[in-house]
Amino acid sequence: MTVSAEPAATGAAVSFGERLSGVFAEHGQLCVGIDPHSWLLRDWNLPDTANGAESFGRAVVAAAAGRVGLVKPQVAFYERFGSAGFAALERVLTDARQAGLLVIGDAKRGDLGTSALAYAEAWLSPGSPLEVDALTLAAYMGVGSLESPLTLAAATGKGVFLLAATSNPEAAHIQRAIVAEGPYAGSSVARAILDDVGERNARASGVIEGAACASVATGLGSIGVVLGATLDLAAFGIDVHQASTECRTPVLAPGFGHQGGNIMDLISIYGEYADGVIVSESRSVLSAGPRRIEEAIERRVAEVGAVRG
């Protein structure tokens, strides 16, 4: 089966959740990060410039194509070079689209109103130079502040991933704080974001009215959350054994590999969410270098596949 990373050209756009389900079925759940750190560029014998970051990114895309179905460029490592960095990223994204890869733009944008919409138009509009298949977003001003990106994503067959429980220790006191009022009063902030996203996925797929999810094979919605692989999610008020079985929320899971998360613990960490987890690895794969990255990707694909059975 060949899965296209592109939404349908005519009629209703194929949802991101459906395309993600197809990628999982064909290539598994590993996502290769594209993070041109200064030290990685040096190890790859590339200059710490926009040109070096472009060469790095395009080489990672070439190694990933046919081996995985997902890549995740970290926008910050291109943005640091200014306009030249964005031009380099545009060429990396073009390569990824042409290779049929689903691309998650890790930009962590967050705003409200027309500003939020402008970010969404930059990253989620078909034909945009920075077009990706999904975008990471920060909901610090509330999930409702991101209504315009969520609406645009749904209309164009794109996805978004909202930060919910992240691995950095500085975030815990905010993400574990208790919501004071509203429909999620009494829940942690992380739990409230997860529940809000789950309800939106259910409504979008008609589950509330009793219909099946848009993605029948695995029930993946098009709005996901970021849940770090190095966390005790129960401490964030998240019971991974009570996920919806009808329309699962996809989870972008950084922290495996170099950051200490063990892929053998995938199911114990994520419970009923495990089928929808995107196993995101960057340094653990990229540090293999340009001559061994293909081997590193294939090894990690096999290891993730063995855990999932």
Side-chain angles (χ1 to χ4, degrees):
M1 177 178 70
T2 300
V3 179
S4 172
E6 298 296 330
T10 59
V14 177
S15 75
F16 173 77
E18 186 171 352
R19 292 187 291 137
L20 181 60
S21 298
V23 162
F24 281 179
E26 184 169 4
H27 295 291
Q29 293 172 239
L30 182 68
C31 172
V32 175
I34 304 177
D35 298 11
H37 295 267
S38 295
W39 65 269
L40 272 174
L41 292 176
R42 182 178 62 250
D43 288 353
W44 281 49
N45 293 315
L46 292 169
D48 190 15
T49 64
N51 287 338
E54 178 182 341
S55 296
F56 179 93
R58 298 179 81 171
V60 174
V61 167
R67 294 179 173 86
V68 297
L70 293 146
V71 292
K72 183 176 70 66
Q74 171 48 261
V75 171
F77 291 114
Y78 288 90
E79 190 169 332
R80 67 193 179 107
F81 297 116
S83 60
F86 276 108
L89 177 59
E90 288 171 9
R91 289 186 280 271
V92 173
L93 296 177
T94 296
D95 281 4
R97 285 194 297 272
Q98 291 177 345
L101 293 163
L102 278 182
V103 182
I104 300 172
D106 196 354
K108 299 181 178 70
R109 299 301 191 229
D111 215 313
L112 71 167
T114 55
S115 297
L117 177 58
Y119 281 130
E121 289 172 338
W123 295 97
L124 301 177
S125 293
S128 168
L130 291 169
E131 180 186 359
V132 294
D133 296 286
L135 182 68
T136 57
L137 297 172
Y140 185 75
M141 289 178 278
V143 176
S145 71
L146 301 172
E147 205 66 56
S148 54
L150 294 171
T151 299
L152 180 61
T156 56
K158 303 292 189 179
V160 297
F161 288 89
L162 275 59
L163 304 183
T166 58
S167 297
N168 60 308
E170 302 88 350
H173 69 285
I174 293 176
Q175 295 170 354
R176 292 165 63 174
I178 302 302
V179 176
E181 57 186 55
Y184 306 109
S187 297
S188 70
V189 170
R191 177 81 236 186
I193 291 173
L194 178 60
D195 286 347
D196 193 328
V197 166
E199 290 176 11
R200 288 169 184 268
N201 281 328
R203 288 198 300 269
S205 60
V207 168
I208 287 179
E209 288 74 34
C213 275
S215 178
V216 177
T218 61
L220 289 178
S222 294
I223 310 173
V225 294
V226 177
L227 300 177
T230 58
L231 298 174
D232 173 11
L233 293 174
F236 288 75
I238 297 173
D239 184 351
V240 297
H241 301 295
Q242 292 185 354
S244 169
T245 57
E246 292 184 280
C247 192
R248 288 191 295 272
T249 293
V251 173
L252 179 59
F256 286 107
H258 181 86
Q259 295 182 48
N262 189 337
I263 193 61
M264 299 302 295
D265 297 328
L266 175 66
I267 297 175
S268 63
I269 294 170
Y270 293 105
E272 292 187 19
Y273 291 94
D275 285 348
V277 167
I278 298 170
V279 178
S280 178
E281 296 201 18
S282 299
R283 282 171 284 181
S284 58
V285 172
L286 303 175
S287 60
R291 294 177 180 168
R292 299 185 60 188
I293 185 172
E294 294 178 358
E295 174 188 337
I297 291 172
E298 290 172 354
R299 181 176 65 253
R300 293 304 285 168
V301 167
E303 290 169 353
V304 174
V307 172
R308 298 303 302 127

